[in-house]
Amino acid sequence: MNDVLERLRAESDGSPFYETLRTAGPDTLADALTSAGQPLWARELAAYRLGLGGDRRAFEALVLLLNHRDPARCEAAAQALAVLGDPRTARAAAALATNTLRTAYALHPVRLLAALRAPESAPALIATLGRLLGPHDPYWRVALACAEGLGALADPRAREVLERARSHPRLAVAATRALTRLPAAQA
């Protein structure tokens, strides 16, 4: 949490509004999310604090931040969404993880899906990993996160895609480790 607050403090460039939002109550934070003209750092700070506080008014802003091009924003949004406990989170993360046009930004949605352990998690990770197994796919970090997440989930439906992932040098160790965590195959 301190890393996020320090990053946002730096982005605020000494704005007194930073201190206001850092200590504000939920209604003031929610107002900052919906007020026109707020800078991105202020919206992120408000959504992050609301999310960590379990206030579902942060959900939509956090999902937008989860899909941001800045990895630090994505990571902070994923942290807050994991704490928020909104039942829509897994569905939103699955949509982001499986969106072929946004693969470059899928790392944090993939990690969030593994942490959530929701019904949507394994199917989304299997689908995403499956399409990233091409020989020259540039998104190997996302594929690696999928393999690691599937290992954490230990879902037997992942066996086939993890077997295929073992032939990829950057994924072999994680895929092999994930396969050891799956229940034994039925004969």
Side-chain angles (χ1 to χ4, degrees), residues 74-168:
C74 297
E75 184 176 3
Q79 290 171 3
L81 283 164
V83 172
L84 181 60
D86 191 297
R88 302 170 291 175
T89 300
R91 195 169 43 252
L96 293 174
T98 58
N99 184 337
T100 58
L101 300 176
R102 302 293 292 171
T103 304
Y105 310 109
L107 181 63
H108 293 289
V110 162
R111 289 179 177 163
L112 178 58
L113 281 168
L116 292 173
R117 305 182 77 78
E120 298 89 344
S121 296
L125 296 182
I126 291 166
T128 301
L129 179 57
R131 73 179 162 74
L132 297 177
L133 292 178
H136 303 294
D137 195 290
Y139 303 113
W140 65 270
R141 285 182 178 88
V142 175
L144 181 62
C146 288
E148 291 169 345
L150 289 168
L153 295 173
D155 190 306
R157 296 174 292 179
R159 185 173 308 283
E160 186 271 330
V161 74
L162 289 169
E163 289 287 353
R164 289 188 308 143
R166 285 174 51 175
S167 66
H168 291 263

Side-chain angles (χ1 to χ4, degrees), residues 36-48:
Q38 296 297 339
L40 182 57
W41 66 261
R43 291 186 191 284
E44 181 182 356
L45 179 55
Y48 183 73

